[in-house]
Amino acid sequence: MQVLNKLLINGSWVDSVNGKTIDIINPHDNSLITKVAEATEGDVDLAVDAAKSAFPEWAAKTGSERGLLLLKLADKIEECAEELAQLESLDTGHPIRDTRNLDVKRTALCFRYFGGMADKLEGATIPVDEGFLNFTTREPIGVIGQIVPWNFPLMFTSWKMAPALAAGNTIVIKPSEITPLSTLRIAEMMLEVGFPAGVVNVVVGYGHTAGSRLSEHEDVGKIAFTGSTATGQRIVQASAGNLKKVQLELGGKGANIIFEDADINQVVGGSAWAIFHNQGQACIAGSRIIIHESIAEEFCEKFVALAKSICIGDPSDPKTEMGPLTSRLHQQRVLEYCVIAKEEGATILCGGKEPSTPSLVDGFYVEPTIVLAKYTDRVCQEEVFGPFVSITTFKNDDEALEIANSTQYGLGAGLWTKDIGRAHYFAREMHAGMVWVNCYKRVHPASPFGGVGRSGYGREMGFEVMREYTQVKSVWINVDANIPPFYKR
Ligand code: NAD
């Protein structure tokens, strides 16, 4: 397995200007994996210059030329699937069975989807006044700054890079300072399959230095950000200087409503997937279960039994279903919410602590945690972003909707019912960018992904994201020689 530790600027692997490095830690046992060059403001400036110089030639390529490189990259990712799965698992703590079956496959799928999209960007012909032809074209923006978090670094690299490149933009991407390894490897593969120097640049660095510089940079035309709401707000402020476009995929507090007519066994498994996959470190996690009071007792019994049976352990073991959280800091944050829950009077049905297994004590593990809480409690309003789920009961549909829509977030939401009319009503009324009915957390490169409210704006994936990475030009042509100009003499 290759572990890269430099910055990629203008097609070359370089140390940072000031020679500093960042320790990359294995979340399973707190050991050092490697030290990666730390980009600060000067490195970001160099990367933006490289992306700016590479832009005209990249934008001038045909869509099919750009698409072909993305398709080759997707093939390369599949060839190196096992290596990427192991690298992602090592760096993030995701169980290897998930990185093999989900992260790597979805990454290849995403690059392939947008490889296919690259030559299908069409404008419109618009009926306007007689004697004129009006049509639109979609043009790339220029240099795109992309800032991603640590929870799905490999997958998010594809979500960010693939559409931006397909549309003809060049990129400076800043992976999280905690999990940069898979992004660096993908960038290396891009060089291997023939992406020109400077089209993609990778600057690993902290948010307050590298991230902040990228967000304010005059030569960056757009920032695409995935991360917390607080950082998203800072990025909007930093973007004001040159009025760059901003796209924000922010936090979530997913409502997962279970109605009395739902299939209880399907719901127990589905709700566990909704929250415990990736140790709950998912913006779209179903972190608030809102359940009809008549079935709450039976559900809780089965749900707690399932949570207690989840195999927690070394992410490199194929039997492992839940690995460690990705950093020590984040583990401490999640454990703090367990204390807050108790202080607010919530009942902890299981978990709330680190596992006591001797082989896991150095890692950043937290047991699957289920609490019974009031929907106004902090743990039902704030994003915990861990294997932590609250359960609240409701008496009728109006109350369920009120609870579901009670947070400042609006990203993903789910509901379980056999009543099709009720499903449509709730899908319409829920304050969310995505709604899943009798399933949870489905994603696909063809389906728009994003939120409302404090969960951000703009959409990733599908054709929607091509709008985000292009700007529209409207062209008017006078096609009737007899139309008099206003000042005819
Ligand atoms: P974070 O906001 O702390 O960091 C995200 C990225 O922003 C990192 O690369 C970080 O270095 C950078 N950053 C930090 N401060 C910055 C600044 N001032 N200027 C520019 N960049 C800065 O978030 P996190 O803790 O890494 O990730 C978890 C958060 O991400 C959660 O809130 C989660 O819900 C959210 N998230 C959202 C989505 C989505 O699609 N909506 C997906 C995954 C994660």
Side-chain angles (χ1 to χ4, degrees):
M1 187 196 318
Q2 255 180 291
V3 177
L4 296 158
N5 59 6
K6 300 206 182 218
L7 312 176
L8 178 64
I9 298 179
N10 205 18
S12 300
W13 295 99
V14 294
D15 289 320
S16 54
V17 170
N18 63 15
K20 284 189 183 173
T21 57
I22 301 176
D23 288 353
I24 305 301
I25 302 297
N26 179 346
H28 166 58
D29 59 8
N30 200 20
S31 61
L32 181 71
I33 301 172
T34 189
K35 287 174 180 288
V36 172
E38 178 197 337
T40 52
E41 290 83 348
D43 307 281
V44 171
D45 289 352
L46 291 173
V48 172
D49 286 349
K52 191 178 170 187
S53 304
F55 174 69
E57 210 171 304
W58 180 248
K61 282 189 186 299
T62 62
S64 47
E65 285 171 329
R66 290 193 300 266
L68 189 60
L69 287 174
L70 290 165
L71 296 172
K72 282 186 182 169
L73 178 64
D75 292 345
K76 178 93 189 166
I77 289 168
E78 281 168 350
E79 272 166 39
C80 304
E82 181 58 22
E83 177 207 342
L84 276 171
Q86 288 188 21
L87 186 65
E88 185 76 339
S89 183
L90 176 76
D91 200 14
T92 62
H94 295 193
I96 188 78
R97 64 170 211 156
D98 290 348
T99 56
R100 276 180 187 149
N101 294 321
L102 296 173
D103 303 47
V104 174
K105 288 184 179 166
R106 285 176 173 176
T107 301
L109 191 69
C110 181
F111 279 116
R112 189 163 289 129
Y113 177 83
F114 287 104
M117 177 77 86
D119 58 0
K120 294 171 190 67
L121 261 187
E122 293 173 355
T125 310
I126 300 169
V128 289
D129 305 318
E130 205 179 330
F132 291 93
L133 169 66
N134 180 229
F135 63 91
T136 59
T137 56
R138 292 201 160 266
E139 298 181 345
I141 295 167
V143 178
I144 310 288
Q146 303 191 318
I147 301 177
V148 289
W150 44 261
N151 57 329
F152 289 101
L154 175 64
M155 227 169 64
F156 287 159
T157 292
S158 67
W159 289 22
K160 288 276 180 283
M161 282 187 182
L165 293 170
N169 302 286
T170 55
I171 290 175
V172 176
I173 189 167
K174 193 201 83 59
S176 164
E177 60 277 16
I178 300 169
T179 55
L181 300 183
S182 55
T183 309
L184 290 169
R185 183 68 181 107
I186 291 288
E188 188 184 48
M189 289 178 186
M190 288 175 144
L191 295 181
E192 286 165 5
V193 301
F195 278 83
V199 169
V200 168
N201 304 273
V202 187
V203 286
V204 181
Y206 292 101
H208 64 280
T209 51
S212 167
R213 178 67 184 145
L214 196 55
S215 313
E216 72 189 13
H217 205 295
E218 288 283 324
D219 290 334
V220 171
K222 168 181 168 162
I223 291 284
F225 172 72
T226 297
S228 63
T229 299
T231 304
Q233 288 163 332
R234 275 184 220 114
I235 286 173
V236 171
Q237 285 164 355
S239 71
N242 70 338
L243 295 178
K244 59 173 67 66
K245 254 183 141 177
V246 179
Q247 181 183 347
L248 299 174
E249 305 293 344
L250 307 178
K253 192 71 185 168
N256 181 19
I257 308 180
I258 304 170
F259 292 97
E260 66 283 4
D261 62 346
D263 173 333
I264 201 91
N265 291 321
Q266 187 193 22
V267 168
V268 168
S271 302
W273 160 256
I275 184 62
F276 297 129
H277 165 238
N278 200 30
Q279 295 74 254
Q281 301 168 128
C283 51
I284 53 174
S287 54
R288 291 184 296 145
I289 291 175
I290 302 163
I291 186 162
H292 193 270
E293 58 181 10
S294 64
I295 55 165
E297 198 176 323
E298 183 190 359
F299 171 81
C300 286
E301 202 175 296
K302 292 184 170 169
F303 191 53
V304 168
L306 191 155
K308 285 183 173 169
S309 74
I310 289 175
C311 178
I312 308 180
D314 184 343
S316 67
D317 183 339
K319 288 195 298 298
T320 294
E321 293 172 315
M322 247 183 72
L325 300 193
T326 298
S327 72
R328 172 73 77 206
L329 191 69
H330 189 57
Q331 178 207 34
Q332 296 309 317
R333 187 170 167 257
V334 172
L335 289 170
E336 206 160 296
Y337 271 109
C338 300
V339 175
I340 291 169
K342 280 186 212 150
E343 285 171 358
E344 288 188 312
T347 306
I348 303 216
L349 298 181
C350 67
K353 57 181 175 25
E354 296 173 58
S356 52
T357 319
S359 60
L360 305 183
V361 290
D362 291 331
F364 313 147
Y365 291 86
V366 175
E367 288 183 356
T369 301
I370 303 172
V371 306
L372 283 178
K374 300 185 295 301
Y375 79 91
T376 48
D377 287 352
R378 277 183 66 190
V379 293
C380 296
Q381 294 291 320
E382 297 172 18
E383 188 181 38
V384 179
F385 212 60
F388 183 108
V389 60
S390 63
I391 300 182
T392 309
T393 59
F394 66 86
K395 289 185 169 54
N396 55 49
D397 286 13
D398 287 348
E399 197 184 1
L401 188 60
E402 186 186 333
I403 297 172
N405 287 347
S406 69
T407 77
Q408 62 179 352
Y409 295 111
L411 193 56
L415 60 115
W416 304 81
T417 181
K418 295 193 184 87
D419 180 339
I420 189 77
R422 180 192 253 165
H424 278 287
Y425 173 76
F426 272 79
R428 194 176 64 235
E429 296 298 322
M430 282 211 278
H431 189 59
M434 293 159 285
V435 177
W436 298 283
V437 179
N438 295 328
C439 58
Y440 212 100
K441 259 176 106 178
R442 302 299 309 181
V443 293
H444 189 278
S447 178
F449 183 104
V452 298
R454 299 286 169 95
S455 293
Y457 44 75
R459 291 292 177 272
E460 305 211 269
M461 313 291 223
F463 190 76
E464 289 296 326
V465 74
M466 300 310 286
R467 298 184 212 282
E468 307 276 347
Y469 281 112
T470 51
Q471 41 210 2
V472 174
K473 181 172 280 172
S474 172
V475 181
W476 290 74
I477 298 186
N478 180 349
V479 290
D480 180 352
N482 296 321
I483 292 176
F486 283 112
Y487 295 105
K488 192 169 181 190
R489 296 285 185 270

